[in-house]
Amino acid sequence: MNDCGISKLDLKRRNRMQILKVVREQGPISRVDISAILGITRAAVTIITNEMIDQHILQEVGEEPVNPNAEVRKGRRKILLDINETYKFAIGIYVDEKEISIGLTTLNAAALDKKSITHKADMTPEALAELLGTTLEKMLQNSCLTYENLLGIGVGIMPSAFEMMGGSTTDTGCPAFPVLQKALEDSTRLPVYINSAVTEFAMAGVHYGDLHAKAENQVFLYWDSGSYRAIPVSGNAPILPAGSNDTFVEHICVNPAGARLEGYPKGSVRAELSAAAVAEKIRPVFSEEQTPTLYAALEGDLSRLTPASLLAAAETDTALQPVADETIKQFCVMLHTLYCLYFAEHINLYGFGFTPEHLEQIRKAAAEFAGKDFAQAIILCPIGERYHFLSGCTYLIQTGFYQRGGLCS
């Protein structure tokens, strides 16, 4: 007879995972309310949550506050549960072609320590493992922690560093880093989770700085070396499969009468909004006389153009204004397409270098194009450049803690 169905361990992990998910999104919350939301008996919820309290994964945080406007109820008030964010700690690593960022956080992704190291695109998996070893020892010592306190290591690697880190692609199209995986595991004896940093940034932007942030649909739009990448996120997980091409956004049409580019629709994002495409629109007026601010900012090299540098220079370089206005309008068309396509509550922008003033400029154009609700849905990712390692921490916490129901060993 073949064994079929779900094992007791799988069922236990699933129930614990569901409870952690509810506490994360609704907490602090009572056992009774968890039972009502999940449709699990109160007795089962009590058994599972008591076990997780004994393991220090959950903690009781007091009684439900009294609502002066509610009807007075007899009996004891509900005891509220919350996640113990210091049950384990996360190590995150971010790698691109110029920088290594390493950080230590709680389960709430609150940073305790961080370090950034520049390199000359010559980092190897073995060298990274050695670098982590010395850095980790100091971080643990500074925070009075040991390896036993760690959940594991989450690593986010930018596409520009895939080859440097020995990256390959699995049969399903997912990125894999077998040499780096082995080097880190051999060096630390900890679980290691590695993925594309772009996908991890998308996950990190959802719950950044708020343990109980409401689960929602978002689209994480990333500017990378002159092109666009988009990761739609539902709740805490990317909607697209891990191996999906995150540059699909560049096929969106933003100008039906626009330029043609082989392999893309007429007037596509790639043909109209890429750094190269916008640079060609600027080139006829680009000079030290007509566009002095932009010329100085780019040191005369249009290949260094970014969306932020264009908007900043257009404030004083009047010759740039027509291109800047057209670019913002087409940018809003792209954002609105993503907003509608994924029923997004937010469009999260990262890597563009936009200031709050640039955001308001974009929102003003967006409101004229599709209304105030859409305009307010456009936000800047709160994760700053000094906190790139949060991409790895968030991926580790989601994959190694929540998806495992807290069963870390």
Side-chain angles (χ1 to χ4, degrees), residues 228-251:
Y228 300 83
R229 297 177 180 272
I231 305 287
V233 177
S234 177
N236 304 299
I239 293 174
L240 300 177
S244 295
N245 183 3
D246 53 18
T247 58
F248 71 93
V249 65
E250 299 209 317
H251 288 76

Side-chain angles (χ1 to χ4, degrees), residues 165-186:
M165 288 291 103
S168 59
T169 304
T170 66
D171 293 339
T172 58
C174 301
F177 302 87
V179 177
L180 178 60
Q181 184 98 26
K182 186 176 187 305
L184 291 176
E185 288 176 347
D186 289 348

Side-chain angles (χ1 to χ4, degrees), residues 58 71 120 201 312 325 390:
L58 295 179
E71 181 181 345
K120 299 179 179 179
F201 270 124
D325 290 343
L390 288 177

Side-chain angles (χ1 to χ4, degrees), residues 256-279:
R260 294 183 181 274
L261 192 64
E262 185 177 354
Y264 294 85
K266 186 178 181 181
S268 67
V269 167
R270 184 68 175 178
E272 294 285 340
L273 285 177
S274 67
V278 176

Side-chain angles (χ1 to χ4, degrees), residues 138-156:
K138 293 179 181 178
M139 287 185 174
L140 292 177
Q141 188 176 28
N142 291 342
S143 298
C144 299
L145 300 174
T146 68
Y147 278 81
E148 293 181 354
N149 298 119
L150 297 178
L151 177 65
I153 301 170
V155 186

Side-chain angles (χ1 to χ4, degrees), residues 6-23 34 38-41 44-45 47-49 51-52 58 402-407:
I6 186 171
S7 70
K8 290 183 178 179
L9 179 59
D10 288 337
L11 181 62
K12 179 179 181 179
R13 181 181 293 115
R14 186 184 68 179
N15 287 339
R16 288 168 62 111
M17 179 177 66
Q18 289 178 325
I19 288 173
L20 283 176
K21 183 176 184 292
V22 169
V23 177
I34 293 173
L38 294 179
I40 302 175
T41 65
V45 169
I47 291 172
I48 296 170
T49 54
E51 180 184 52
M52 295 173 80
L58 295 179
Y402 286 105
Q403 290 183 7
R404 292 177 58 84
L407 295 169

Side-chain angles (χ1 to χ4, degrees), residues 90-94 101-105 109-116 154 156 200-201 383-394:
I91 291 293
I93 304 175
Y94 164 90
S101 175
I102 302 173
L104 171 68
T105 74
L112 302 178
D113 206 344
K114 62 184 184 295
K115 183 176 183 179
S116 295
E200 294 179 7
F201 270 124
I383 301 174
E385 290 185 0
R386 296 177 61 196
Y387 294 87
H388 281 156
F389 62 85
L390 288 177
S391 59
C393 291
T394 302

